[in-house]
Amino acid sequence: MSVMEGVQKVKSPLHGKETAVEIVESGFNGSFELQEISAGSKEILTLITHIYLSAESSDFVLIEEPELHLHPGAQREIFKLIKQEFAGGKAQVVISTHSSVFLNEPETHNVISVKREKDTKLTQPSEDELSSDLQELGYRYSGML
């Protein structure tokens, strides 16, 4: 797993109604308390745990700003993890983000345009419409949103 350097595997087995986060890290055989790790690492572990648990048991998943505390390379890895865990239509996943990494990664059929006039309108632009709009504005997907 290249989201966190040195971490090879993250497991979150359920123990009744609770879960524990188990991390396999190269060169590290001990355990540690949650308060001993950084706030960023806690955020990442929480996100990864929620992704794995949701993939096992959810039909609809909302993920808000998964890019927090992540450098662009780690954001790409989280995006890959989300795609991998929810592949095959296991659940519908909606991501709210400000990250250009998350906005530039999906296929165009997964992009929804939100236009606010009198009413808010959600439309799925065709690939030609989206490409044309972006080229005209000089932006990639992230520049439009």
Side-chain angles (χ1 to χ4, degrees), residues 64-87:
E64 184 178 7
E65 298 184 6
E67 71 273 9
L68 295 178
H69 304 287
L70 297 178
H71 58 78
Q75 291 179 34
R76 280 188 283 283
E77 292 300 317
I78 289 292
F79 185 84
K80 287 181 199 173
L81 177 65
I82 292 168
K83 274 184 81 169
Q84 171 191 315
E85 289 301 308
F86 295 100

Side-chain angles (χ1 to χ4, degrees), residues 10-22:
V10 176
K11 300 185 290 184
S12 57
L14 286 173
H15 303 286
K17 292 185 177 186
E18 296 182 6
T19 186
V21 178
E22 298 174 16

Side-chain angles (χ1 to χ4, degrees), residues 79-100:
F79 185 84
K80 287 181 199 173
L81 177 65
I82 292 168
K83 274 184 81 169
Q84 171 191 315
E85 289 301 308
F86 295 100
K90 293 179 185 177
Q92 182 174 0
V93 179
V94 175
I95 300 172
S96 166
T97 184
H98 295 274
S99 167
S100 60

Side-chain angles (χ1 to χ4, degrees), residues 129-141 143-145:
E129 290 171 321
L130 187 57
S131 178
S132 173
D133 289 345
L134 292 172
Q135 286 179 356
E136 186 175 307
L137 294 170
Y139 291 119
R140 295 184 74 198
Y141 301 131
M144 260 183 85
L145 304 172

Side-chain angles (χ1 to χ4, degrees), residues 110-115 120-125 130 133 144-145:
N110 289 325
V111 175
I112 300 295
S113 173
V114 179
K115 293 187 181 181
T120 301
K121 295 181 182 180
L122 303 174
T123 59
Q124 185 174 15
L130 187 57
D133 289 345
M144 260 183 85
L145 304 172

